[in-house]
Amino acid sequence: MADVSHTSYLPPILTFCAGAVIAVPLFRRVGLSAVLGYLAAGIIIGPSVLAVIKDPDAIRGTAEIGVVLLLFLVGLELQPSRLYSMRKDILGAGLAQMALSAGVIGAAAWWFGLSVGGAVAVGLALALSATSIALQLLEERGDGNEPYGRRTFSILLFQDISIAPALAILPLLATTTEAKPGGAGQALTGLGIAFLAIAVIVLAGRYVLNPFFRILAKTGAKEVMTAAALFIVLGAALLMEHVGLSMAMGAFLAGVLLADSHFRHELEADIEPFRGVLLGLFFMAVGMSLDLKLVLDNWLLLALAAPLLVLFKIAVAASILRASCSSMTEAVRAGALLSPAGEFAFVLLPLGVSLGLLDERQGAIATALAAISMLIGPVVAKLIDGVLLSRAAPETMEEDFEGVDAPSVVVIGFGRFGQIVTQALLLQHVDVTIIDSDVERIRSAAKFGFKIYYGDGTRLDVLRAAGTGKARILCVCIDNKDAALRIVEMAKAEFPNVRLHARAYDRIHAIDLMKANVDYQMRETFESALGFGRVTLEGLGLNYDEASLVIDHVRDRDAQRMEIQFTEGIAAALNKVPRVTPEPLVQPKGKSKALTPETQEVIEDGGAEVAVGGVGEPER
């Protein structure tokens, strides 16, 4: 009979996958973070509830690789020059947050009866924030490059750097309580070895990694590049762990050193799938580590301590960031992201227990407090974010049309399209009036020297007040199809002597505008696409006149097609224009080739949404 022992690892894997695919979509469906879904799944399948997984520590080591890969990808986004430019936020706000939070939390722990060493261990562990949770929430919001997102990351980065001295301080504290004789010298020696390891990684990243990847790239084997990326990340992490520092710090350092590499984007693509899966596994391991029996036995203490810890960390971070010239809204949003305890609390607290700074019960309660803060922190962050954003009403201005005279041109909409249109008018010193309802665009228009009015261009009273009836041309440059049609129809009826020029969103919108009797319409991407095609033809060897002749022919054929559809309807002349989808204006010489079986099936089925060759305009 065949040995089937190799299947023993499949049930845990299936359990993790099932927990993720059930919990995460449910939490996302109700508007909560995926992190909460992973944590909840871990609690349910862990030893405290269903006990499907009885030993969470057995998978935590593997799960922590997710945090390692996350920090590597973060490092890839930070060139050393950018990191240097963040030094004030890192050393200023980061140091202040860590020192103040650790000091107050440690003092509270000492007041509750912990030894000085134990209080320091708890203070350091709970002062740290969850890098993975904060970055995940920033990624879900798309706010990584917002000012509050950058400041949040700066504080997180300082915390990750502070792991090294924290891991050195605890053995030193243990020696003062005679928990580990001779530990002071060992700790100082370990610190020297740690700095040596950092120097090795820096030198390797500077002089070895790029040539190494260049050699591998020449082989053309993508799987070798993936293996090399994992080798570099995990190798740096393992080296840091062996010298007493955090694995995440080693991975982050490797990422920063490769941030300027030509292979950065390929490395990011290779690592990303592993990062997502293992990071989810890490959160599930944190959930499994929560001892519900211990929580129930100490429910009053934890019920008071966890919310107080979260609110205290929000207050500390928000106060520090507010003092550094952040707005109150940004400061509070950043503080909310930093409120959960960090992943490294599950490293520092067990270390404190092993060194004798904490007894088993104290360590378990502190660990449960850290895990609960990771559960409620993202919920509090979401609630705070919702409240702050709901109060942040869009900035408005009073409509004021005093002093309006007769402009030559009225332009409605000063976005990217309207700005380009008005450049030509500005060059000829044409008298232009701008109407827009976006305050920032109004401020941008002020730089051009135009007459600018804040208002809704779909309102007749606004058009009248802006002097549209006396203008020669009204340019409708907004990207809202329905609103543009309303403006055209209203202007045609109220200002019959004013020429109407309109921006068309696509072909169907252009035909609708033509039916509304505009004097001129232009599809927003048509001419730019033709110009792009002309330059491409020149790149293939045609001279300017030859390429322009081809483009003129395409333009004429498109105009003929537009005329047929305007006069006879969208479905008119089916033998010429069967449908308004991407299609060739001239018959291609060769037949299309499907590169995959799925594509071939779509072509054979007559899929309307597939462009198979030639020149056409994709409708949106």
Side-chain angles (χ1 to χ4, degrees):
M1 184 176 178
D3 181 15
V4 294
S5 61
H6 63 281
T7 63
S8 61
Y9 62 85
L10 289 179
I13 293 177
L14 290 174
T15 301
F16 294 134
C17 292
V21 300
I22 293 173
V24 174
L26 287 175
F27 275 74
R28 292 302 298 269
R29 185 68 180 268
V30 296
L32 297 175
S33 168
V35 172
L36 281 176
Y38 287 120
L39 290 171
I43 293 173
I44 292 172
I45 66 177
S48 295
V49 183
L50 298 180
V52 179
I53 305 295
K54 295 181 173 59
D55 184 14
D57 291 332
I59 60 112
R60 185 173 293 155
T62 301
E64 285 176 358
I65 297 176
V67 181
V68 169
L69 298 180
L70 172 67
L71 266 294
F72 175 73
L73 292 178
V74 169
L76 280 179
E77 297 297 325
L78 285 175
Q79 287 86 357
S81 58
R82 184 183 169 197
L83 196 60
Y84 181 75
S85 69
M86 296 167 60
R87 65 191 183 281
K88 291 184 179 178
D89 282 333
I90 294 172
L91 296 177
L95 177 60
Q97 185 275 336
M98 188 67 187
L100 185 56
S101 297
V104 175
I105 295 171
W110 176 76
W111 187 76
F112 272 96
L114 272 66
S115 66
V116 173
V120 172
V122 170
L124 290 173
L126 298 183
L128 296 169
S129 301
T131 300
S132 48
I133 291 179
L135 295 183
Q136 185 85 5
L137 292 175
L138 281 173
E139 182 181 335
E140 290 173 5
R141 297 176 184 177
D143 287 350
N145 289 320
E146 293 294 320
Y148 88 94
R150 293 195 298 270
R151 291 190 172 93
T152 300
F153 178 74
S154 297
I155 294 177
L156 291 170
L157 184 54
F158 178 84
Q159 292 181 0
D160 287 326
I161 294 172
S162 69
I163 293 297
L167 291 171
I169 286 172
L170 294 187
L172 288 173
L173 288 172
T175 61
T176 63
T177 60
E178 298 183 356
K180 190 175 181 182
Q186 292 178 3
L188 292 175
T189 301
L191 200 58
I193 295 174
F195 283 116
L196 179 61
I198 291 174
V200 168
I201 292 179
V202 170
L203 291 174
R206 182 87 175 169
Y207 300 107
V208 176
L209 293 185
N210 272 317
F212 173 64
F213 280 113
R214 198 173 297 117
I215 292 171
L216 292 180
K218 291 179 180 178
T219 66
K222 181 172 176 55
E223 65 278 6
V224 175
M225 290 291 289
T226 302
L230 290 172
F231 174 77
I232 296 299
V233 179
L234 300 181
L238 188 62
L239 178 60
M240 288 292 102
E241 185 184 41
H242 273 306
V243 299
L245 302 182
S246 73
M247 291 195 297
M249 181 180 174
F252 173 79
L253 195 56
V256 170
L257 294 172
L258 287 169
D260 289 323
S261 170
H262 297 301
F263 305 98
R264 176 168 70 90
H265 297 294
E266 185 170 355
L267 291 171
E268 189 174 0
D270 289 340
I271 293 295
E272 179 63 32
F274 300 98
R275 190 275 303 182
V277 172
L278 291 172
L279 196 58
L281 183 60
F282 172 80
F283 290 127
M284 293 176 76
V286 171
M288 286 187 286
S289 68
L290 188 62
D291 187 347
L292 292 186
K293 183 177 182 304
L294 179 75
V295 172
L296 292 175
D297 291 340
N298 300 273
W299 69 270
L300 183 58
L301 173 62
L302 293 172
L304 293 173
L308 284 175
L309 174 66
V310 168
L311 294 176
F312 167 72
K313 292 179 71 175
I314 292 174
V316 169
S319 300
I320 291 170
L321 291 174
R322 184 71 182 92
S324 64
C325 300
S326 293
S327 68
M328 180 56 73
T329 298
E330 287 187 344
V332 174
R333 294 182 79 189
L337 291 177
L338 295 166
S339 62
E343 305 87 354
F344 296 110
F346 302 97
V347 176
L348 292 175
L349 292 172
L351 178 61
V353 173
S354 68
L355 293 171
L357 299 174
L358 299 166
D359 61 34
E360 291 288 343
R361 181 177 177 277
Q362 292 170 343
I365 291 177
T367 301
L369 180 57
I372 293 172
S373 74
M374 294 180 79
L375 275 171
I376 66 175
V379 177
V380 173
K382 182 174 179 61
L383 292 175
I384 289 176
D385 206 51
V387 171
L388 291 176
L389 293 181
S390 66
R391 291 183 176 180
E395 189 178 3
T396 60
M397 299 172 65
E398 292 294 328
E399 293 180 359
D400 181 10
F401 300 98
E402 184 179 350
V404 173
D405 49 16
S408 297
V409 179
V410 174
V411 176
I412 302 176
F414 198 67
R416 54 189 176 85
F417 191 93
Q419 290 171 23
I420 295 173
V421 169
T422 53
Q423 289 282 3
L425 304 177
L426 179 66
L427 208 61
Q428 291 298 308
H429 306 289
V430 175
D431 187 21
V432 177
T433 294
I434 304 292
I435 300 175
D436 205 303
S437 58
D438 187 289
V439 174
E440 288 303 318
R441 290 179 185 170
I442 291 293
R443 289 172 179 158
S444 298
K447 301 174 184 177
F448 289 74
F450 298 134
K451 289 190 291 291
I452 314 149
Y453 297 101
Y454 174 83
D456 182 358
T458 62
R459 286 169 45 189
L460 181 58
D461 59 329
V462 169
L463 294 180
R464 285 174 174 164
T468 304
K470 302 175 183 178
R472 296 175 58 186
I473 301 175
L474 172 64
C475 297
V476 182
C477 298
I478 60 177
D479 60 0
N480 185 311
K481 294 188 289 185
D482 295 333
L485 280 172
R486 286 199 304 273
I487 294 171
V488 166
E489 291 168 355
M490 183 168 53
K492 201 69 182 176
E494 297 294 329
F495 315 115
N497 296 324
V498 178
R499 284 182 59 85
L500 285 175
H501 294 183
R503 166 193 185 180
Y505 181 78
D506 54 21
R507 178 179 292 273
I508 296 176
H509 188 217
I511 293 173
D512 289 339
L513 289 170
M514 292 166 64
K515 290 179 179 178
N517 295 318
V518 296
D519 296 286
Y520 179 76
Q521 57 76 29
M522 170 59 67
R523 280 167 283 165
E524 60 185 26
T525 59
F526 184 63
E527 284 296 331
S528 59
L530 290 181
F532 193 97
R534 179 185 58 75
V535 175
T536 302
L537 290 174
E538 290 182 61
L540 294 173
L542 277 69
N543 62 38
Y544 178 85
D545 292 336
E546 292 170 336
S548 297
L549 186 63
V550 174
I551 295 302
D552 288 341
H553 181 61
V554 172
R555 187 183 287 108
D556 291 342
R557 294 296 299 271
D558 182 80
Q560 294 172 23
R561 175 185 173 206
M562 180 76 82
E563 185 64 26
I564 292 173
Q565 292 174 322
F566 171 68
T567 57
E568 302 181 37
I570 293 295
L574 290 178
N575 60 325
K576 296 180 181 179
V577 188
R579 59 191 66 168
V580 185
T581 54
E583 60 188 44
L585 294 173
V586 294
Q587 189 64 31
K589 293 183 178 180
K591 296 183 66 177
S592 62
K593 294 181 181 180
L595 299 180
T596 65
E598 293 81 4
T599 307
Q600 185 63 42
E601 290 178 8
V602 173
I603 293 175
E604 292 173 354
D605 290 341
E609 299 302 322
V610 178
V612 297
V615 180
E617 176 191 291
E619 300 299 340
R620 294 172 290 174

